[in-house]
Amino acid sequence: MEWSDVAAGLDVCGSFQHTYRCSSSWVETGNRILMATSALDSLVDKSMEYPWLFELCNPLTGKTSHCGVLEFTSEEGFVLLPTWMMECMELMEGDIVTLNSTFLEKGTFLKLQPHTKDLVQLVDPKAVLEKTLRDFCCLTTGDTIMVMHENMKFYIDILEAKPSLTVNILDTDCEVDFAPPLDYEPPKKVEKKAKFQKKPVEEEIVKFKAFTGVVRCLDEEPVVEGIVVVDDSMISTVERKPCGSGKVVFGSSSAIQSQEHHSTDEPSKKRRQEETNMK
């Protein structure tokens, strides 16, 4: 049986719908496929509006994606897909795949998630992405695409697309947001050593302390008599001598009272002695 017999064309409201066998393409990047010359004739006959975009479906698994066309050079009855697309669509060499023409809105927003952090660690990942995405004509939410830069392959998940799940990215300014790479590990939190809180310095309670220096009378003569001074924290004894009618400035009121009582007793004794002598 000729492979051309497998391809069946159906006219549904002027749309393009065909079934083909699939095989790997020599084109590694992007999501443009190679189709047979007969597909070109069909598209022209139906006056299909450019750009020619298609919904690609694996009838065995129900897996769907979207693609464009690069050129019409494949063998009749076959479409050639990039290897990464074969893997994404879960297709094997010679499996059947269906193509339906479709119209897609221009994309305004994309959220992408690289599989590894190698992509975001490039010198200018934005420029690399802008260049490599030129090989793509549309993107579908849930797909995993592959881009190449300096012979390195980078796989990227399409997490979100606006204004629809599948968008046309040809000749459009599209905002792109990156989710953390799949192999991203958040930095480990360094446990801070517990800081010992300094205890507030307790204010020293200042207690009254009686005068403990040298005691002098108002006439500047030193005291020689013994006086015991008692306060809250110490007992001290000092010597003082009689200092006439001068008062002693001291920290104990009892000592002052004792001195005043002693000085008032002396005149009365002298008076009694004089009276005795006269008798």
Side-chain angles (χ1 to χ4, degrees):
M1 181 177 64
E2 296 281 340
W3 285 121
S4 58
D5 296 336
V6 177
L10 301 174
D11 289 332
V12 179
C13 299
S15 63
F16 178 92
Q17 295 184 357
H18 280 267
T19 301
Y20 297 93
R21 296 284 183 179
C22 66
S23 184
S24 297
S25 170
W26 54 266
V27 180
E28 294 187 20
T29 61
N31 62 350
R32 289 180 170 89
I33 65 174
L34 278 63
M35 303 178 71
T37 305
S38 59
L40 174 62
D41 295 337
S42 179
L43 291 168
V44 173
D45 291 344
K46 296 176 184 298
S47 300
M48 300 298 297
E49 186 178 352
Y50 190 83
W52 295 326
L53 302 175
F54 306 93
E55 179 188 66
L56 195 65
C57 178
N58 181 345
L60 295 178
T61 63
K63 178 73 175 179
T64 61
S65 187
H66 294 77
C67 63
V69 57
L70 179 64
E71 57 185 46
F72 299 89
T73 58
S74 71
E75 184 182 347
E76 285 297 328
F78 276 86
V79 289
L80 306 183
L81 283 66
T83 303
W84 73 264
M85 283 193 70
M86 295 276 288
E87 295 172 354
C88 180
M89 291 292 297
E90 302 174 359
L91 292 169
M92 303 293 291
E93 291 286 335
D95 283 350
I96 294 177
V97 64
T98 60
L99 267 72
N100 298 318
S101 60
T102 186
F103 170 80
L104 300 176
E105 294 182 274
K106 286 187 175 293
T108 58
F109 174 80
L110 291 171
K111 187 170 185 177
L112 311 178
Q113 184 176 40
H115 283 199
T116 65
K117 53 181 176 288
D118 296 336
L119 177 61
V120 296
Q121 289 178 345
L122 295 175
V123 176
D124 192 350
K126 181 181 177 181
V128 172
L129 195 63
E130 288 178 352
K131 180 180 179 181
T132 54
L133 286 183
R134 291 173 187 169
D135 296 327
F136 292 79
C137 52
C138 53
L139 293 174
T140 302
T141 302
D143 276 1
T144 297
I145 65 173
M146 187 274 291
V147 298
M148 292 192 67
H149 175 68
E150 295 182 352
N151 296 322
M152 295 178 63
K153 295 181 179 181
F154 301 98
Y155 288 88
I156 303 173
D157 291 340
I158 312 299
L159 299 184
E160 187 178 355
K162 292 180 181 180
S164 57
L165 294 178
T166 303
V167 293
N168 175 359
I169 61 171
L170 293 171
D171 302 322
T172 182
D173 292 330
C174 190
E175 180 184 354
V176 177
D177 185 23
F178 283 93
L182 292 179
D183 65 349
Y184 171 77
E185 294 182 0
K188 296 181 180 179
K189 294 183 179 180
V190 179
E191 295 183 0
K192 295 182 179 179
K193 295 182 179 180
K195 294 183 178 179
F196 294 99
Q197 295 182 350
K198 295 183 178 179
K199 294 183 178 180
V201 179
E202 297 182 358
E203 296 183 359
E204 295 182 357
I205 301 175
V206 180
K207 296 183 179 180
F208 171 74
K209 293 183 179 181
F211 175 73
T212 58
V214 177
V215 180
R216 292 181 179 276
C217 297
L218 294 179
D219 57 4
E220 298 299 326
E221 293 184 12
V223 177
V224 296
E225 292 185 2
I227 297 178
V228 178
V229 180
V230 180
D231 63 7
D232 294 338
S233 61
M234 62 179 292
I235 299 177
S236 61
T237 302
V238 297
E239 296 293 329
R240 78 182 192 94
K241 69 178 183 178
C243 55
S245 61
K247 292 184 179 180
V248 178
V249 180
F250 213 76
S252 174
S253 59
S254 59
I256 297 174
Q257 291 174 359
S258 175
Q259 178 189 353
E260 291 178 351
H261 179 70
H262 179 73
S263 62
T264 54
D265 286 346
E266 289 183 358
S268 60
K269 288 181 180 180
K270 290 180 180 180
R271 203 174 292 114
R272 286 196 296 271
Q273 184 67 33
E274 288 177 357
E275 289 176 358
T276 303
N277 295 333
M278 290 177 66
K279 291 179 181 181

